[in-house]
Amino acid sequence: MRLHLFFLILLAGSTCFAVNYSGPIGHREAFLANAGGGMAESPGNVLLNPAGLGFRQNKESSLTVSGNAISRQEFNVSQYAVDPEEMSIRPLLAAGIYPTNYGTMAIFISNPTSFKIYGGSSSSESGVNIKTLLRVDYEELAAGMTWAREIHPHFSWGVSAGIGVETQKSYGYALASQTGVTAVTSFSLTEQKTVSLFIVPGVLFKATDHWNVGLSMKALADLSSSATTMRFRTNSSSPTTVEELNNSYDPNGTSPLSFRLGQEFIFSANHDVYLDLIYQGASSSYNANNEKFLTDEIWSGALGYRNSFSNDVETLWGYSYARSGSADSNSLTAGVALERRNNEFIFGLYYLSSVPREADTGGFNSYGVMFSSNVEY
């Protein structure tokens, strides 16, 4: 039960293609702890605020690819030994940007969240030994298009829309026994898949030469949602009889709305500060027993800083904090950007920590190496 609650809380913070992300995402934004709602002319605008592409002045097409070159996750759950995820390579964003006479168009695909967890526990209660094993595979994918246009030298709008796919597979095994007797054995498998239509409209206002303000939101509409749970069980009273249960259900209840207010403060040509405030509303879901679970609303903030040493080298720094009813999350990022003509390559590190507020739930740490490249042609 404790591990079940832990995973429920973990997944609640990563609703498919939300404006609020639990890990690094984007191009420059990934190295600024996902700050960038007020940033103009970044490939990551397609995720955080598409209106930023409306101010794109370069008439060349570009291709952006970013990802985690190496990532690792460590999960801490009371009474469970949870193995960390193996080192992996994962794309965060691939985007092609194409300027036209009527605005800027982009196509993109993103993999905001992906993890595989293996865990188990062993305990004894009233003379009964209980052993459990659990594996969870979770994946999010999103693909779509962006259109943005400058309405006025100080104002632009844009919208991203597409399809998000969220999949999860959970495998569980439990054994209850006493000395010399196997009382109960059980195995369960749950497969879940949700396909959603998402839309992210946004506006960006250049209030002054040194201050940009952006506002974006995200809305989801489920196209399909399904889950299947299979359970197999035997007990000592009838060890040769397998009790089998198959149950299909709709796991999704309501999807949250998300809002992002982003600001960019331009102190000079070499120094920028980015400050974002993000709100994600509450949502609900159902389990195989048709029990309704409510997820908390989430408030988060992100602070990023850019420092240019020369025309070719910049450093990017970021910190973000997220607060929900069940956990507090902190993220630190850092990167070095190398520029040559209009091409850019960024290399850096990230660290993400989630600390639970309840004693019977678990937290996690995630850290790794990131990269992002943007090539114009």
Side-chain angles (χ1 to χ4, degrees), residues 176-200:
S177 63
Q178 293 177 305
T179 304
V181 179
T182 298
V184 176
T185 60
S186 66
F187 173 79
S188 64
L189 167 63
T190 298
E191 296 182 306
Q192 179 177 324
K193 182 177 181 180
T194 300
V195 180
S196 303
L197 174 68
F198 65 81
I199 183 169
V200 183

Side-chain angles (χ1 to χ4, degrees), residues 226-294:
S226 62
T228 301
T229 295
M230 294 180 290
R231 294 191 182 96
F232 305 92
R233 182 175 181 268
T234 63
N235 58 62
S236 56
S237 61
S238 54
T240 60
T241 302
V242 178
E243 301 175 14
E244 182 177 343
L245 172 66
N246 293 322
N247 187 18
S248 297
Y249 61 98
D250 184 351
N252 272 16
T254 58
S255 299
L257 286 175
S258 300
F259 300 88
R260 176 182 291 266
L261 174 64
Q263 300 180 79
E264 179 182 9
F265 300 94
I266 307 169
F267 293 99
S268 69
N270 299 325
H271 302 278
D272 293 332
V273 172
Y274 304 90
L275 179 62
D276 285 24
L277 178 64
I278 309 103
Y279 169 78
Q280 179 172 302
S283 62
S284 63
S285 61
Y286 293 87
N287 65 8
N289 297 322
N290 202 34
E291 296 171 327
K292 186 176 182 179
F293 292 90
L294 299 177

Side-chain angles (χ1 to χ4, degrees), residues 50-57 59 101-104 147-159 202-206:
L53 290 180
F55 286 120
R56 183 180 172 89
Q57 300 299 317
K59 301 304 179 183
N101 293 331
Y102 305 99
T104 302
W147 180 264
R149 182 176 175 83
E150 179 183 311
I151 303 299
H152 183 273
H154 296 283
F155 184 81
S156 68
W157 69 273
V159 60
V203 294
L204 185 60
F205 176 52
K206 292 187 174 182

